[in-house]
Amino acid sequence: MLRRFSNSRTFQDNLRLGIFTAIIAGMVNVASLVLFYSFTSNLTGHFAILAQEIADGKWFQMLVVLFWIILFFSGSFLSNNLIINSTRKNAFVSHSIPMILEIGCFVFVGIYGQFFYTETLTQTEILVSVLLFSMGLQNGLTASISNFQVKTTHLTGLTTDLAIHLSMLTKKKYRMNAPLVEKTKLMAAIMGSYLVGGIFSGLIIHYVQFQVFYFISLAMLGVLTYDFAKTYVPFFVNKKKHETTLKTNMEKIQNTIKNTTKKSGVFSESKQ
């Protein structure tokens, strides 16, 4: 899911990435809406609030909302900066760092919310800030490694694009276009997965409260572990096989040299 980058990714790679991260985004957005009465997976509403706060002259609240926007921006910036500066040798590590930071954000929100949260405005603003930063990390990660094919934290543009693609597929010549069909399937899968994640979060949030962020973190750790195994286990296995083969070949060469030397010695003695 995280191992390949940009044009080296297949449709299946992007599909798995889109489905998983859309479920996460849907769960986080519904959880933050229920717990904090605020959306955290997109910025459209926050820009509207920012404009309203400026119009009303509420400068402190304007700064808070502006800070939220900057945090989302910073998360996306950090993810892409890590990815574009990575090499083939450390690609998986660079792709994993944003997700590890995202897990750290979720664990922080879960622990603080479960044990320390008293529902004050300041606490709410801080926890919303952390979630916005985490969603910025996720959006930057998915967009960067998929060559902007996968964006899972905001559905306004996705809904528009899906509608356009579906309208194009009403014509036969577009239905014969494999990349167009795959793009349509990807967007539909992301939209459906986001909805599934939101519904699941809504069903359990009243029972588990802030512990929902632990479940999300465990799922992300599972994906990281799977990708780590797929990336490095074959490498070490092949390395061991290569070393064994090399050792065997070296032994054969040494035995051949020894046998040749013995034959040469016997030949020399018989000649004398």
Side-chain angles (χ1 to χ4, degrees), residues 196-261:
V196 168
I199 293 172
F200 180 69
S201 183
L203 289 173
I204 68 172
I205 191 67
H206 296 292
Y207 302 100
V208 299
Q209 295 291 307
F210 286 93
Q211 295 177 50
V212 68
F213 294 105
Y214 302 152
F215 299 148
I216 296 171
S217 299
L218 284 174
M220 296 177 72
L221 279 174
V223 169
L224 281 176
T225 302
Y226 173 80
D227 266 24
F228 178 84
K230 293 290 285 186
T231 302
Y232 290 104
V233 170
F235 171 77
F236 287 116
V237 170
N238 291 333
K239 183 180 179 181
K240 188 174 182 180
K241 287 182 179 178
H242 176 72
E243 290 175 348
T244 303
T245 303
L246 183 63
K247 184 179 179 181
T248 303
N249 290 337
M250 288 297 295
E251 289 175 351
K252 287 181 180 179
I253 293 172
Q254 289 174 354
N255 291 332
T256 302
I257 293 173
K258 287 180 181 178
N259 293 332
T260 303
T261 303

Side-chain angles (χ1 to χ4, degrees), residues 86-103:
S86 66
T87 61
R88 287 190 176 184
K89 290 184 178 180
N90 66 354
F92 174 75
V93 175
S94 299
H95 296 175
S96 300
I97 290 175
M99 188 172 283
I100 293 171
L101 291 174
E102 191 179 354
I103 292 171

Side-chain angles (χ1 to χ4, degrees), residues 82-129:
L82 287 167
I83 291 166
I84 63 176
N85 287 298
S86 66
T87 61
R88 287 190 176 184
K89 290 184 178 180
N90 66 354
F92 174 75
V93 175
S94 299
H95 296 175
S96 300
I97 290 175
M99 188 172 283
I100 293 171
L101 291 174
E102 191 179 354
I103 292 171
C105 291
F106 293 151
V107 171
F108 170 79
V109 173
I111 292 174
Y112 191 93
Q114 185 178 358
F115 298 106
F116 306 105
Y117 185 56
T118 57
E119 300 186 12
T120 65
L121 179 60
T122 301
Q123 289 177 323
T124 300
E125 290 172 345
I126 292 172
L127 294 180
V128 168
S129 298

Side-chain angles (χ1 to χ4, degrees), residues 49-59:
I49 295 171
L50 177 64
Q52 185 62 47
E53 299 294 3
I54 293 173
D56 292 342
K58 297 179 181 178
W59 304 115

Side-chain angles (χ1 to χ4, degrees), residues 18-34:
I19 290 173
F20 176 73
T21 54
I23 290 174
I24 297 300
M27 290 186 68
V28 171
N29 207 32
V30 170
S32 63
L33 179 62
V34 173

Side-chain angles (χ1 to χ4, degrees), residues 165-190:
H165 279 66
L166 287 174
S167 68
M168 293 175 69
L169 292 180
T170 59
K171 296 182 72 67
K172 184 177 180 180
K173 68 175 183 178
Y174 292 119
R175 290 197 295 271
M176 303 300 293
N177 187 328
L180 182 67
V181 173
E182 287 183 348
K183 178 65 175 177
T184 305
K185 290 179 180 178
L186 176 61
M187 290 188 292
I190 290 173

